[in-house]
Amino acid sequence: MHLEPKPIRRFAQTACVDWSGAKGEKLPGIAVATMTQDGPPRLYARADRWSRKAVLDWLLDLADQQADMVIGFDFSFALPFFDTGKYFPEWEDSPDCARQLWALIDHICAADPHLEIRTLLEHADIRRHFRHSKSDVGDLFPPGPGRFRQVEHHQRSSKQANSASCFNLIGAAQVGKSSLTGMRMLHKLQGAIPVWPFDPMPAKGPMIVEIYTSLAARAAGLGQGRSKIREQHALEAALAKIGSPAPAMLTRYDDHSTDALLTAAWMQTAALDHRLWQPEPLTRQIAEKEGWTFGIF
């Protein structure tokens, strides 16, 4: 059953969190950018590096303030389910929906610091499904690139994006570790902020969506293989392409900061597109078990 069409909101602010699945507390791979309707995107400044816990605390503050903001995170909000009928085939305790999956991951990793997922990847039944390294591949990791969610099958066939499998934990393009740590964070929110498409759009307050920063790069005219921006003029040109003013000069033009800035700006326009909130392939069943990437229609 497809989702019922509903009116969409015009959020006063957009934000993008460039997330990280790396080990440790203060992580250089995390960047947060925000944008209002009448200003350029800006990095959310901190005295030191972001941690995953600091991002969680920031989100809880936004919830308390009922901030009029949609926040995009660049990790997958669930694992594939429909290709096999389970997240973890051959394991009797495999959960039945995404929220149960989040709770399971956080419970197993309760003793892991900084929202890490070491214990999950050592679990006898779960580790069988992942490619851990070139020489350590679980016996239930299928031949080839791995398992994909419905949204990933759709965006690959429609050539809207080219994501990697969450069960792959190696290589520059791997998103498994960031997604698993991100699911711990989503569980710890305990419903304080609605998460699309698992939850309906609230009448007020913040909302969280899954995004690909590559969609913003494509909208800015950056082709495949050159989506990363590391120079001031390149960032300003990309922002101008999507109709955004340039931000204040950065102290360092790294991939994480520029991805976050460009995506926060892209979301200002994308969040007004009805197709992106109600994509044709998205059903209630897919929304409940696998979620969807905002921007894929």
Side-chain angles (χ1 to χ4, degrees), residues 89-131:
E90 298 190 22
W91 185 38
E92 62 181 9
D93 293 326
S94 183
D96 293 325
C97 67
R99 290 193 183 280
Q100 291 179 15
L101 177 65
W102 303 347
L104 173 75
I105 293 170
D106 192 51
H107 173 72
I108 290 175
C109 300
D112 294 343
H114 318 309
L115 299 183
E116 293 177 6
I117 37 85
R118 177 186 59 82
T119 305
L120 182 83
L121 299 180
E122 294 176 349
H123 189 283
D125 294 291
I126 294 175
R127 74 177 325 277
R128 300 174 64 195
H129 298 270
F130 289 88
R131 177 190 281 146

Side-chain angles (χ1 to χ4, degrees), residues 11-211:
F11 290 90
Q13 297 183 75
T14 54
C16 174
V17 180
D18 199 55
W19 190 251
S20 174
K23 294 180 181 179
E25 182 180 7
K26 303 296 179 66
L27 301 172
I30 296 179
V32 180
T34 61
M35 185 173 180
T36 61
Q37 294 174 9
D38 58 356
R42 69 179 185 89
L43 284 179
Y44 195 94
R46 285 180 56 85
D48 55 3
R49 290 174 173 171
W50 282 94
S51 66
R52 286 183 284 261
K53 177 61 164 54
V55 173
L56 174 61
D57 291 342
W58 175 66
L59 292 173
L60 292 172
D61 286 343
L62 292 177
D64 288 342
Q65 299 163 18
Q66 283 292 280
D68 189 8
M69 179 185 289
V70 57
I71 308 117
F73 280 86
D74 69 332
F75 61 81
S76 298
F77 287 5
L79 295 173
F81 181 93
F82 290 100
D83 60 338
T84 64
K86 282 190 173 184
Y87 297 114
F88 304 114
E90 298 190 22
W91 185 38
E92 62 181 9
D93 293 326
S94 183
D96 293 325
C97 67
R99 290 193 183 280
Q100 291 179 15
L101 177 65
W102 303 347
L104 173 75
I105 293 170
D106 192 51
H107 173 72
I108 290 175
C109 300
D112 294 343
H114 318 309
L115 299 183
E116 293 177 6
I117 37 85
R118 177 186 59 82
T119 305
L120 182 83
L121 299 180
E122 294 176 349
H123 189 283
D125 294 291
I126 294 175
R127 74 177 325 277
R128 300 174 64 195
H129 298 270
F130 289 88
R131 177 190 281 146
H132 301 266
S133 69
K134 289 183 178 180
S135 59
D136 184 3
V137 182
D139 64 300
L140 294 179
F141 186 93
R147 296 170 57 197
F148 292 101
R149 297 181 297 162
Q150 296 300 294
V151 65
E152 292 152 357
H153 282 298
H154 176 67
Q155 50 95 342
R156 289 166 73 92
S157 64
S158 61
K159 302 188 185 305
Q160 295 183 59
N162 189 30
S163 63
S165 171
C166 288
F167 286 108
N168 176 51
L169 304 178
I170 64 173
Q174 71 89 9
V175 295
K177 293 175 183 177
S178 61
S179 297
L180 295 168
T181 58
M183 290 179 218
R184 286 198 68 186
M185 184 273 294
L186 292 176
H187 175 69
K188 289 188 177 298
L189 277 174
Q190 291 295 300
I193 298 179
V195 180
W196 179 87
F198 309 97
D199 302 307
M201 184 179 291
K204 62 179 182 178
M207 185 161 210
I208 290 172
V209 299
E210 172 189 326
I211 50 90

Side-chain angles (χ1 to χ4, degrees), residues 269-289:
T269 300
L272 299 176
D273 190 337
H274 286 258
R275 296 176 308 165
L276 305 187
W277 293 107
Q278 297 157 1
E280 180 63 27
L282 179 60
T283 65
R284 290 185 181 277
Q285 292 77 18
I286 293 173
E288 177 186 85
K289 296 184 183 298

